[in-house]
Amino acid sequence: MAQQDDVFKKIVSHAKEYGFVFPSSEIYDGLSAVYDYGQNGVELKNNIKRYWWDSMTLLHDNIVGIDSAIFMHPTIWKASGHVDAFNDPLIDNKDSKKRYRADVLIEEQIAKIEDKIAKEVAKAAKRFGDSFDEAQFRATNGRVLEQQAKRDALHERYSKAMNDNNLEELRQIIIDEEIACPISGTRNWTEVRQFNLMFKTEMGSTADGSMSVYLRPETAQGIFVNYLNVQKTGRMRIPFGIAQIGKAFRNEIVARQFIFRMREFEQMEMQFFVRPGEEIGWFKQWKEWRLKWHKALGLGDNKYRFHDHEKLAHYANAATDIEFEMPFGFKEVEGIHSRTNFDLSQHQKFSGKKIEYFDPELNQSYTPYVIETSIGVDRMFLSVLCSSYEEEALPNGETRVVLHLPAPLAPVKCAVLPLVRKDGLPEKAREIVDDLKFDFATHYEEKDAIGKRYRRQDAIGTPFCITVDHQTLEDNTVTLRERDSMQQERVAIADLHKLIHDKVSLPSLLRKLK
Ligand code: GAP
């Protein structure tokens, strides 16, 4: 675990050093849980968004996109349930004055017990070697059984308290489990209170005429309230989807793990409207399609798992998360939810406008059911970054830091490097840049020795380096170096476009989704 922590720290500092992610407002000592994307980060982020957007709107002829405003009528958040129920239970430690999520403190306690069990199992596996039977060991070992019983009892008590929204019980669990504040080390806790995660601000210039509005905590509601507009103007027939990418804001109490949990972040959401009764089939279909989208990136099929929800929100009849193995464990990157007709019905009720679809095949009207796929851009960015980062030991004893980014997502696709800064090589290199730049993000670099320049491009994940040398002037060939294998081949300048395009183009990635 400590080793994983070290790797994660290195990734965070690499992200800063190479212009991917900066802490927000850094010269003013930063703003907690808010980050800025730098010159390479914004390109990687845009490429992720483009991959998602095209996979939705180009590959499905029944999905269209919108871009709704961040500010929306405040009643929308009443209708959606966010005003009353978008809360986290918080607790303060009176000595350190630090604020925690009560549920997170208890979940961490459960994780500690699970860790103890995992250590016992690992120790035994080492002792018994190939003959080790893990299932049997877990079912018979006294220490493991004792810890497992403790974990299950705590989990059950915690789940019940959360289901019943019993804040006193949550506090009592923290007291009974003797959970201490990591800063002060004391157990001097306040009561547990509900804390609404929405940011509120005022719209309008006069005190009397102003109205409280919220920064949207999800983009989905912008889709629901435009359902009729899009359905009518696009003459959409069910089943159809509406996709949107945009900022969302949540006043997270515990904002940690770099860009994993932020107060301002970006979502890519798609609401797929279906006939009532057909939603579970579509839910399964979207689970399959979304996992395929992730796996096509080649980050490692074993890094994904579904986490099906046992406890469902009252309006959902199926829900799952796609989790990705980050350096700090498997974590949710995307949620897929079958949300029934809850949201559209609520908006119908609160707005007084009829929100229905006339199904010509059934010759009847109904409020459509919805399958939602919701993925965090920043979490996707983090999973791509973490799984691409490698400190590679080279045969000559050196180490190179390389980002094995999926080529279509890389911020820079190719770098053109004159071997020396004289003899007409820079001019020839510039000519190549001027040709390639219309199709690919192309860098020109002439400073430092060629090896150093290769390393810099490896560190930002550039798939190809093109070196211009004296032979280039004679026969119009260059060396093309591939990032991962570091193989170099002599190729004609005239062939560069095709060679690069085959590897880096987004359509080549999208074709894998067929
Ligand atoms: N409309 C459904 C919805 O918003 P959610 O599970 O709350 O569902 C969807 O959020 C996705 O948004 C998550 O899977 C995650 O990737 C991302 N997300 C949520 N909160 C986030 C935060 N504070 N920072 C970064 N990403 C976040």
Side-chain angles (χ1 to χ4, degrees):
M1 199 67 193
Q3 212 183 352
Q4 291 296 75
D5 281 353
D6 282 351
V7 172
F8 190 51
K9 275 189 197 142
K10 282 185 187 170
I11 293 170
V12 174
S13 54
H14 188 85
K16 182 170 174 216
E17 189 180 342
Y18 286 92
F20 283 89
V21 183
F22 306 128
S24 162
S25 322
E26 201 185 6
I27 58 170
Y28 291 94
D29 296 333
L31 184 65
S32 169
V34 186
Y35 289 89
D36 297 336
Y37 285 83
Q39 65 279 17
N40 289 317
V42 68
E43 299 292 347
L44 173 55
K45 198 179 182 206
N46 283 342
N47 292 338
I48 291 172
K49 289 195 274 188
R50 174 55 59 191
Y51 174 42
W52 184 87
W53 187 262
D54 285 358
S55 75
M56 288 291 174
T57 63
L58 296 186
L59 302 193
H60 297 268
D61 55 15
N62 58 352
I63 297 181
V64 292
I66 62 163
D67 182 20
S68 70
I70 287 172
F71 290 132
M72 294 197 272
H73 195 286
T75 309
I76 287 171
W77 304 112
K78 190 79 191 151
S80 67
H82 284 82
V83 171
D84 297 320
F86 195 52
N87 301 317
D88 277 343
L90 71 82
I91 189 165
D92 292 341
N93 181 269
K94 291 182 193 165
D95 300 314
S96 67
K97 310 271 185 263
K98 284 277 170 201
R99 181 161 285 180
Y100 298 92
R101 268 174 61 174
D103 55 335
V104 171
L105 287 179
I106 300 170
E107 276 170 16
E108 284 174 352
Q109 184 73 358
I110 294 171
K112 268 188 203 159
I113 304 175
E114 286 168 349
D115 251 14
K116 275 188 196 157
I117 297 172
K119 273 190 191 132
E120 289 289 346
V121 173
K123 234 166 49 190
K126 204 166 163 194
R127 204 166 55 237
F128 293 113
D130 287 345
S131 62
F132 182 60
D133 180 341
E134 185 177 329
Q136 195 196 1
F137 180 76
R138 281 179 183 271
T140 53
N141 180 273
R143 271 192 305 273
V144 169
L145 287 173
E146 189 190 320
Q147 292 294 335
Q148 190 64 44
K150 209 168 138 189
R151 183 250 168 232
D152 292 346
L154 177 55
H155 187 266
E156 199 180 322
R157 193 177 166 198
Y158 162 65
S159 302
K160 184 165 176 356
M162 288 297 281
N163 281 343
D164 297 348
N165 206 7
N166 187 340
L167 302 183
E168 273 167 40
E169 174 68 352
L170 283 179
R171 179 173 192 273
Q172 199 52 49
I173 295 174
I174 290 170
I175 304 289
D176 292 349
E177 288 293 317
E178 301 185 342
I179 298 173
C181 165
I183 308 287
S184 66
T186 71
R187 300 180 198 131
N188 195 6
W189 297 108
T190 61
E191 298 305 306
V192 176
R193 281 169 296 137
Q194 288 291 23
F195 177 78
N196 193 285
L197 298 186
M198 282 196 295
F199 285 100
K200 210 179 199 177
T201 186
E202 298 297 313
M203 182 177 265
S205 54
T206 62
D208 290 346
S210 72
M211 163 167 84
S212 289
V213 291
Y214 300 98
L215 297 188
R216 67 181 177 198
E218 61 171 18
T219 56
Q221 296 306 321
I223 293 177
F224 289 124
V225 299
N226 277 297
Y227 161 79
L228 280 180
N229 285 336
V230 175
Q231 193 272 317
K232 292 215 155 81
T233 58
R235 305 190 333 147
M236 309 299 289
R237 293 172 75 121
I238 273 181
F240 75 91
I242 305 178
Q244 168 159 234
I245 299 177
K247 289 270 184 160
F249 305 82
R250 297 182 188 178
N251 199 1
E252 300 281 0
I253 303 167
V254 183
R256 267 192 314 205
Q257 284 150 338
F258 190 38
I259 55 173
F260 182 78
R261 193 176 300 285
M262 300 197 287
R263 298 204 164 101
E264 174 182 337
F265 57 99
E266 216 166 349
Q267 289 185 315
M268 306 188 280
E269 297 200 292
M270 194 279 304
Q271 316 295 133
F272 198 70
F273 300 94
V274 303
R275 268 186 198 159
E278 294 187 355
E279 71 276 11
I280 296 301
W282 280 113
F283 172 75
K284 288 186 186 143
Q285 179 66 81
W286 275 106
K287 265 179 86 168
E288 191 192 312
W289 280 340
R290 291 305 304 145
L291 190 62
K292 201 169 177 187
W293 182 90
H294 284 276
K295 286 187 173 174
L297 286 169
L299 303 178
D301 286 3
N302 57 340
K303 286 188 171 281
Y304 301 92
R305 70 179 188 197
F306 281 119
H307 169 227
D308 294 329
H309 292 203
E310 287 162 34
K311 182 188 169 267
L312 295 170
H314 63 279
Y315 51 78
N317 59 8
T320 195
D321 296 334
I322 296 178
E323 295 185 338
F324 186 82
E325 191 178 16
M326 303 276 188
F328 42 90
F330 272 93
K331 296 285 167 194
E332 175 192 340
V333 172
E334 172 159 4
I336 303 167
H337 312 122
S338 173
R339 296 179 67 107
T340 67
N341 61 1
F342 172 79
D343 301 86
L344 291 183
S345 301
Q346 284 293 100
H347 290 305
Q348 177 161 278
K349 188 165 131 200
F350 279 73
S351 69
K353 307 272 182 336
K354 197 164 155 196
I355 306 180
E356 284 192 345
Y357 173 76
F358 176 74
D359 194 323
E361 282 168 39
L362 299 180
N363 196 27
Q364 83 185 50
S365 294
Y366 52 77
T367 306
Y369 272 42
V370 172
I371 306 302
E372 166 184 79
T373 72
S374 174
I375 170 170
V377 179
D378 313 271
R379 284 193 192 176
M380 191 61 212
F381 183 104
L382 189 59
S383 56
V384 170
L385 190 67
C386 289
S387 53
S388 299
Y389 180 89
E390 190 192 5
E391 288 173 14
E392 188 185 353
L394 300 176
N396 66 2
E398 283 179 17
T399 305
R400 73 161 178 159
V401 176
V402 53
L403 289 186
H404 299 285
L405 296 175
L409 301 187
V412 178
K413 304 297 192 240
C414 53
V416 184
L417 319 170
L419 190 62
V420 289
R421 263 195 279 184
K422 55 181 185 184
D423 305 336
L425 299 191
E427 290 75 11
K428 187 74 186 168
R430 288 268 183 212
E431 259 177 44
I432 297 172
V433 172
D434 284 343
D435 181 43
L436 295 179
K437 71 182 178 190
F438 291 96
D439 294 298
F440 312 112
T442 308
H443 261 196
Y444 171 83
E445 263 215 275
E446 57 177 30
K447 196 169 168 284
D448 294 324
I450 193 78
K452 227 173 171 177
R453 281 181 273 168
Y454 285 153
R455 289 289 174 279
R456 272 204 299 270
Q457 294 299 330
D458 290 341
I460 63 167
T462 304
F464 291 108
C465 285
I466 298 158
T467 307
V468 174
D469 55 22
H470 292 94
Q471 191 184 329
T472 310
L473 303 179
E474 288 161 23
D475 64 5
N476 274 322
T477 63
V478 288
T479 53
L480 185 66
R481 173 188 182 269
E482 199 272 328
R483 176 196 66 200
D484 297 338
S485 63
M486 294 189 286
Q487 295 281 326
Q488 300 187 21
E489 56 171 332
R490 197 89 207 165
V491 303
I493 292 174
D495 293 339
L496 277 175
H497 194 282
K498 182 173 174 357
L499 288 167
I500 296 169
H501 183 269
D502 285 351
K503 286 278 168 51
V504 309
S505 83
L506 189 54
S508 68
L509 184 54
L510 290 168
R511 278 206 179 87
K512 293 186 186 167
L513 304 180
K514 266 207 285 202

